[in-house]
């Protein structure tokens, strides 16, 4: 597939892009953490060897590479997660450098100097004076249009002269409530004390009316759910530009053309993201002591390395028992039970049919999802949905454990239903007819000769009765069945996931 921004990367980088796309297409690379690391490494090399004439050209190239990899491996949504996360990180670095540059330009012009200063030629000049940098005009316009209640105050951060409490409430969008509370407090004392001039109407009886209702931004304003009928590829890799914002100034355009020198800053930001992904097991395991207590019975399903690291870290200071379901037909629970028992954890391996009977004795259920969707739904191994439904019936909390790279900004309705479930071989569920005939014949002690009338009748019956067998590898667990999400940043309830996604991927 030819890229429209192919000239940005070198030919050897394009070979690496095609090689990774081939591995994803052939399912030679499986697992969220492994795919995330490969994608981050590739995009880091893309940025390191890129030749671009503007910053937007670099972002467009990264989004196009991410779209190519996602089409090659549609079952690995972590490709979209890492691509959008990297675009968000380098855009933040670019906005910081642009703010510093415009601030230095304004200061130079205001001091009566020789006019606007020329654009810096080194990344150190771009990143200097980070403290107290003024926001860019484009960012100010976008923020003021995003929070209309702050437009009249003149301060993009919503700061007022009402003190720290007023600043906090204005930052949360409760400016009207703060003003009403201040009026009510002052009216109770009959105006301003200390000989100050009273505010008109402050001590009048009319001023004791009830304050205006609290107006807070809805969650849909911070992370809006996209149109499911729109183009999924364009929606998943939507540009971070604000279409409603005005055109860039000549200084911003000149800075964008000179942003080639910011590549070391971009690479450093991507390296920090890679370190975060690599240390996921350790950072998630460090929080196990806060959530697991001695004497608990914990049920798990499947074999998740994140859950394994979480339980092993807790076993250093806690004594508890893990009930592990065998997770047919993959039977990955056998590997999990062996890993837990080898770490000195008391482990009980049970068939899937005993889950409902043993759940009342458990204090919590741990699930290691493949990916966490934007609405909080889990894409987890098959068998997770009946386990979570039974836990909900028994009032047992369900805890999802996963790194931040598994949190996706995509909703379930935007993906192909059965394509995302990663169908496995039907042989794992029901053996073929020939194997069944051979097995039954061996039990009877005699196998019918080939070409006999019995075989011909069996072939005719097989042609007449065709059975379609589906073996999905993943289940979709709704968000209302999950009590808590534990990542390397801490625990998150489902009601605050939209803020977490807004911090990682922006409001696009």
């Amino acid at each position: 597939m030819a890229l429209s921004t192919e000239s940005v990367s070198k030919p050897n980088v394009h070979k690496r892009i095609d090689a990774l796309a081939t591995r994803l297409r052939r399912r030679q690379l499986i697992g969220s953490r492994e795919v995330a690391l490969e994608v981050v490494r590739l995009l880091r090399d893309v940025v390191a060897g890129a030749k671009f004439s503007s910053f937007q050209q670099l972002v467009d190239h990264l989004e196009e590479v991410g779209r190519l990899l996602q089409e090659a491996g549609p079952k690995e949504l972590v490709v979209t997660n890492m691509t959008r996360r990297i675009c968000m990180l380098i855009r933040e670095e670019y906005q910081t450098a642009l703010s510093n540059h415009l601030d230095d330009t304004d200061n130079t012009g205001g001091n009566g100097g020789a006019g606007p200063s020329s654009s810096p030629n080194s990344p150190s000049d771009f990143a200097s004076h980070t403290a107290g940098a003024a926001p860019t005009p484009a960012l100010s316009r976008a923020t003021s249009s995003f929070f209309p209640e702050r437009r009249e105050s003149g301060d993009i951060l919503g700061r007022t002269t009402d003190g720290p409490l007023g600043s906090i409430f204005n930052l949360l969008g409760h400016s009207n409530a703060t003003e009403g509370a201040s009026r009510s407090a002052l009216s109770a004392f009959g105006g301003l004390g200390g000989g100050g001039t009273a505010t008109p109407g402050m001590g009048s009886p009319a001023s004791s009316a009830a304050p205006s209702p609290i107006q807070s931004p809805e969650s849909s304003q911070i992370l809006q759910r996209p149109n499911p009928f729109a183009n999924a590829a364009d929606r998943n890799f939507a540009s971070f530009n604000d279409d409603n914002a005005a055109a860039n100034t000549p200084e911003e355009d000149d800075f964008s053309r000179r942003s080639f020198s910011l590549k070391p800053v971009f690479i450093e930001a991507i390296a920090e993201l890679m370190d975060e992904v690599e240390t996921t097991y350790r950072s998630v395991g460090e929080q196990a002591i806060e959530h697991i207590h001695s004497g608990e019975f914990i049920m798990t399903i499947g074999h998740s390395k994140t859950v394994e690291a979480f339980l092993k870290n807790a076993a250093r200071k806690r004594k508890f028992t893990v009930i592990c379901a065998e997770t047919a037909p993959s039977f990955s629970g056998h590997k999990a039970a062996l890993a837990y028992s080898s770490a000195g954890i008391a482990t009980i391996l049970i068939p899937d049919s005993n889950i409902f009977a043993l759940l009342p004795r458990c204090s919590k259920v741990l699930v290691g999802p493949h990916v966490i969707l934007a609405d909080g739904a889990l894409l987890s191994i098959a068998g997770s949905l009946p386990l979570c439904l039974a836990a909900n019936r028994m009032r047992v909390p369900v805890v999802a454990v996963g790194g931040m790279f598994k949190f996706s900004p995509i909703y379930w309705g935007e993906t192909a239903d059965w394509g995302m479930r990663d169908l496995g071989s039907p042989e794992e569920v029901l053996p073929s007819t020939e194997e069944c005939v051979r097995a039954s014949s061996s039990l009877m002690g005699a196998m019918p000769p080939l070409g006999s009338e019995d075989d011909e009748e069996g072939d005719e019956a097989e042609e007449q009765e065709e059975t379609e067998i589906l073996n999905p590898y993943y289940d979709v667990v709704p968000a209302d069945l999950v009590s808590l999400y534990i990542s390397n940043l801490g625990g998150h309830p489902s009601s605050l996931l939209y803020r977490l996604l807004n911090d990682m991927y922006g409001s696009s």
Side-chain angles (χ1 to χ4, degrees):
M1 176 182 176
L3 302 177
S4 58
T5 57
E6 186 175 359
S7 60
V8 175
S9 295
K10 298 179 181 179
N12 60 337
V13 177
H14 283 287
K15 291 182 180 178
R16 292 192 55 190
I17 295 173
D18 296 337
L20 181 57
T22 302
R23 294 177 61 189
L24 291 173
R25 188 178 298 109
R26 295 177 178 177
R27 303 293 291 160
Q28 297 175 350
L29 185 62
I30 302 176
S32 299
R33 184 173 180 271
E34 289 73 15
V35 174
L37 289 175
E38 290 295 331
V39 172
V40 172
R41 292 192 188 102
L42 176 62
L43 295 183
R44 180 193 58 182
D45 296 341
V46 169
V47 173
K51 293 183 178 180
F52 49 93
S53 58
S54 65
F55 175 74
Q56 188 59 39
Q57 186 181 13
L58 174 63
V59 175
D60 293 341
H61 182 62
L62 292 176
E63 291 178 354
E64 197 168 7
V65 172
R67 188 181 301 112
L68 175 64
L69 297 177
Q70 186 64 80
E71 292 176 355
K75 299 176 177 61
E76 301 293 344
L77 290 182
V78 73
V79 176
T80 301
N81 302 350
M82 293 296 98
T83 305
R84 291 195 57 176
R85 186 86 179 274
I86 289 175
C87 291
M88 185 69 181
L89 290 175
I90 66 175
R91 181 167 291 277
E92 289 178 350
E93 298 292 341
Y94 174 79
Q95 291 289 354
T96 301
L98 178 59
S99 300
N100 298 334
H101 170 65
L102 294 179
D103 185 58
D104 294 342
T105 303
D106 295 340
N107 293 337
T108 304
N111 294 331
S117 61
S118 58
S119 301
N121 296 324
S122 64
S124 60
D125 296 332
F126 284 131
S128 62
H129 309 296
T130 55
T136 62
L139 184 61
S140 301
R141 289 190 297 269
T143 310
S144 61
S145 62
F146 193 77
F147 297 99
E149 65 274 6
R150 303 177 191 172
R151 194 178 303 153
E152 299 177 358
S153 63
D155 191 347
I156 190 174
L157 295 179
R159 292 188 294 263
T160 62
T161 59
D162 296 337
L165 183 60
S167 301
I168 294 175
F169 273 88
N170 286 328
L171 191 60
L172 295 176
H174 303 326
S175 57
N176 295 335
T178 309
E179 295 173 3
S182 301
R183 281 196 208 94
S184 302
L186 290 176
S187 62
F189 291 94
L192 294 175
T197 304
T199 305
M202 189 67 69
S204 60
S207 63
S208 62
S212 58
I214 296 177
Q215 296 179 359
S216 58
E218 299 178 357
S219 61
S220 59
Q221 292 178 336
I222 299 179
L223 184 68
Q224 296 182 357
R225 181 164 183 165
N227 183 10
F229 299 100
N231 189 354
D234 297 338
R235 180 177 58 251
N236 296 344
F237 294 93
S239 178
F240 290 90
N241 286 340
D242 188 6
D243 298 335
N244 299 325
N248 294 334
T249 62
E251 294 181 357
E252 294 175 352
D253 293 337
D254 181 68
F255 186 87
S256 178
R257 288 191 295 269
R258 295 175 179 267
S259 61
F260 182 82
S261 300
L262 281 175
K263 287 172 60 176
V265 182
F266 297 158
I267 295 174
E268 183 179 357
I270 298 175
E272 293 178 358
L273 176 61
M274 183 180 300
D275 293 339
E276 175 188 326
V277 177
E278 290 177 346
T279 59
T280 297
Y281 296 156
R282 184 185 64 187
S283 55
V284 172
E286 291 174 353
Q287 307 176 45
I289 305 299
E290 302 176 1
H291 301 278
I292 295 180
H293 308 282
S294 298
E296 284 190 323
F297 283 80
I298 303 172
M299 182 171 290
T300 64
I301 187 170
H303 184 203
S304 172
K305 294 183 179 180
T306 309
V307 175
E308 178 183 346
F310 188 80
L311 293 175
K312 285 183 177 181
N313 196 291
R316 298 175 182 176
K317 298 182 179 180
R318 301 282 192 270
K319 294 296 182 180
F320 54 90
T321 303
V322 176
I323 301 177
C324 189
E326 62 179 2
T327 320
S330 62
F331 297 102
S332 56
H334 294 179
K335 298 180 181 179
L338 181 61
Y340 300 151
S341 59
S342 62
I345 303 175
T347 308
I348 301 175
L349 181 64
I350 63 172
D352 297 337
S353 57
N354 291 359
I355 288 178
F356 195 85
L358 295 178
L359 261 178
R361 308 191 64 178
C362 299
S363 58
K364 61 174 61 68
V365 174
L366 292 184
V367 179
H370 178 69
V371 70
I372 302 175
L373 301 176
D375 57 350
L378 307 180
L379 192 65
S380 186
I381 191 169
S384 301
L385 179 58
L387 171 61
C388 294
L389 288 173
N392 185 46
R393 177 69 179 273
M394 299 293 180
R395 300 297 186 267
V396 178
V398 177
V399 180
V401 183
M404 291 301 302
F405 60 90
K406 292 186 178 183
F407 288 81
S408 176
I410 301 176
Y411 290 86
W412 174 249
E414 305 172 36
T415 59
D417 189 5
W418 287 106
M420 279 302 303
R421 294 176 187 250
D422 197 2
L423 295 177
S425 173
E427 292 283 343
E428 299 178 357
V429 180
L430 183 64
S432 61
T433 306
E434 296 180 358
E435 294 183 359
C436 293
V437 171
R438 293 178 182 273
S440 60
S441 301
S442 60
L443 293 176
M444 296 298 295
M447 185 173 179
L450 297 177
S452 62
E453 296 179 358
D454 295 340
D455 289 341
E456 294 177 359
E457 293 177 359
D459 294 338
E460 293 177 0
E462 182 180 356
E463 293 177 358
Q464 294 176 358
E465 298 180 1
E466 296 182 357
T467 304
E468 182 179 3
I469 302 173
L470 298 179
N471 181 23
Y473 193 76
Y474 297 117
D475 273 347
V476 180
V477 180
D480 54 358
L481 299 180
V482 184
S483 305
L484 185 67
Y485 302 84
I486 299 178
S487 68
N488 45 341
L489 299 182
H492 318 280
S494 58
S495 59
L496 297 180
L497 283 185
Y498 71 93
R499 289 188 179 181
L500 190 66
L501 296 176
N502 180 64
D503 294 339
M504 290 194 302
Y505 304 109
S507 58
S508 299

